[in-house]
């Protein structure tokens, strides 16, 4: 069996993730759900989503609805208290270089977009939806492998703009210097945040209760590091109703 919470994991918040997991684990066991002693921090993210012994994981909206919605149970979302965003939702910030004179994403027609991966909702689908609504498109996209790398690609001039998950952006502002060369030029629409999942068809209520109970019991310094305000129920139909975008132009 395996548990993994990889989506916002960084060296600076690893201890907070571990402390939260210990409380989640004990809460799951108290509810009759077997759980591993520790998180599998180094497990390949995509591999964990399809494992039949997945006790708890995190998944991006796009791979959930395009490939995994019939293979896992969606448990909950985390509320990060993002401004002007419903609890449990998230959005992406469009970012560009600080010295770029263009003031809005729509001005980046025929520009180069950096995206973390083609199966990322926050990095590709959410900006694609914005482009469909506002009638513009990039000339091409470069695939960077991560939001952090997308921000660096823009800062270094290898791309003109990117859409960065707002939670990740806050972490970059807190722990890295790359944001000093960048600025926010817009935002995508809000959508359901990253989902907590478990394998197969399961009752989400016990897992959701264990997550919330553990968050309430977590030491204030660890809770502040994670930035999670609350655990909110997930709506699988709302996740699944979002579109699946075409492959990005390369």
């Amino acid at each position: 069996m395996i548990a993994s919470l990889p989506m916002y994991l960084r060296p600076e918040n690893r201890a907070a993730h571990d402390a939260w997991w210990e409380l989640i684990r004990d809460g799951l066991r108290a509810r009759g759900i077997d759980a591993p002693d520790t998180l599998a921090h180094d497990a390949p993210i995509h591999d964990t989503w399809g494992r039949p012994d997945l006790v708890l994981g995190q998944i991006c909206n796009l791979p959930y609805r395009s490939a995994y919605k019939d293979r896992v149970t969606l448990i909950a979302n985390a509320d990060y208290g993002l401004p002007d965003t419903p609890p449990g939702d998230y959005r992406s910030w469009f970012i560009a270089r600080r010295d770029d004179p263009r003031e809005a994403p729509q001005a980046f027609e025929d520009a180069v977009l950096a995206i973390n991966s083609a199966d990322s909702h926050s990095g590709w689908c959410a900006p694609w939806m914005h482009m469909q609504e506002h009638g513009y498109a990039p000339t091409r996209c470069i695939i960077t492998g991560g939001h952090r790398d997308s921000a660096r690609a823009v800062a270094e001039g290898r791309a003109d703009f990117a859409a960065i998950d707002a939670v990740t952006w806050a972490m970059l502002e807190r722990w890295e210097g790359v944001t000093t060369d960048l600025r926010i030029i817009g935002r995508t629409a809000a959508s359901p945040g990253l989902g907590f999942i478990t394998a197969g068809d399961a009752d989400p209520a016990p897992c959701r209760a264990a997550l919330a109970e553990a968050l309430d019991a977590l030491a204030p310094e660890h809770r502040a590091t994670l930035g999670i305000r609350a655990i909110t129920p997930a709506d699988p139909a709302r996740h699944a109703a979002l579109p699946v975008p075409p492959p990005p132009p390369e």
Side-chain angles (χ1 to χ4, degrees), residues 28-42:
L28 291 172
R29 290 173 177 175
R31 290 168 172 83
I33 301 171
D34 201 7
D37 290 335
T38 59
L39 291 170
H41 289 308
D42 299 324

Side-chain angles (χ1 to χ4, degrees), residues 173-205:
E173 287 188 310
R174 184 176 183 180
W175 289 313
E176 297 199 30
V178 65
T179 61
T180 60
D181 298 321
L182 303 169
R183 62 188 176 91
I184 294 171
I185 57 168
R187 66 181 189 176
T188 66
S191 61
L194 297 175
F196 295 101
I197 57 171
T198 191
D201 183 12
D203 179 3

Side-chain angles (χ1 to χ4, degrees), residues 170-250:
M171 293 178 181
L172 293 177
E173 287 188 310
R174 184 176 183 180
W175 289 313
E176 297 199 30
V178 65
T179 61
T180 60
D181 298 321
L182 303 169
R183 62 188 176 91
I184 294 171
I185 57 168
R187 66 181 189 176
T188 66
S191 61
L194 297 175
F196 295 101
I197 57 171
T198 191
D201 183 12
D203 179 3
C207 292
R208 186 164 58 241
L211 282 165
E213 181 183 90
L215 184 64
D216 288 341
L218 189 62
E221 63 271 21
H222 289 320
R223 188 164 178 170
T225 297
L226 294 177
I228 301 175
R229 304 284 184 87
I231 299 298
T232 63
D235 181 353
R238 185 166 171 249
H239 280 255
L242 291 165
V244 174
E250 298 184 30

Side-chain angles (χ1 to χ4, degrees), residues 19-216:
W20 191 30
W21 170 249
E22 290 179 4
L23 295 167
I24 297 168
R25 175 201 66 202
D26 293 347
L28 291 172
R29 290 173 177 175
R31 290 168 172 83
I33 301 171
D34 201 7
D37 290 335
T38 59
L39 291 170
H41 289 308
D42 299 324
I45 294 175
H46 289 74
D47 291 350
T48 64
W49 295 337
R51 285 183 56 154
D53 60 346
L54 177 65
V55 176
L56 184 67
Q58 276 178 307
I59 194 168
C60 174
N61 291 347
L62 182 51
Y64 168 75
R65 63 183 179 269
S66 63
Y68 290 93
K69 66 179 184 296
D70 297 324
R71 302 169 61 186
V72 300
T73 294
L74 191 62
I75 298 166
N77 303 118
D79 177 27
Y80 287 88
L82 296 174
D84 192 28
T85 304
D89 280 15
Y90 75 157
R91 62 175 82 241
S92 296
W93 299 124
F94 283 103
I95 58 101
R97 284 182 296 282
R98 190 167 294 279
D99 60 359
D100 193 308
R102 289 170 283 193
E103 294 293 335
Q106 295 90 313
F108 284 76
E109 173 75 24
D110 295 331
V112 177
L113 176 72
I115 65 174
N116 53 331
S117 69
D119 67 348
S120 168
H121 179 81
S122 57
W124 171 233
C125 184
W128 173 80
M129 291 168 64
H130 189 276
M131 293 171 193
Q132 294 299 296
E133 179 181 356
H134 294 280
Y136 69 104
T139 299
R140 65 184 180 94
C141 298
I142 61 170
I143 309 296
T144 66
H147 279 302
R148 174 187 183 186
D149 298 312
S150 293
R152 291 192 180 280
V154 175
E156 294 168 2
R158 291 181 284 116
D160 298 302
F161 71 135
I164 308 295
D165 173 348
V167 179
T168 300
W169 179 258
M171 293 178 181
L172 293 177
E173 287 188 310
R174 184 176 183 180
W175 289 313
E176 297 199 30
V178 65
T179 61
T180 60
D181 298 321
L182 303 169
R183 62 188 176 91
I184 294 171
I185 57 168
R187 66 181 189 176
T188 66
S191 61
L194 297 175
F196 295 101
I197 57 171
T198 191
D201 183 12
D203 179 3
C207 292
R208 186 164 58 241
L211 282 165
E213 181 183 90
L215 184 64
D216 288 341

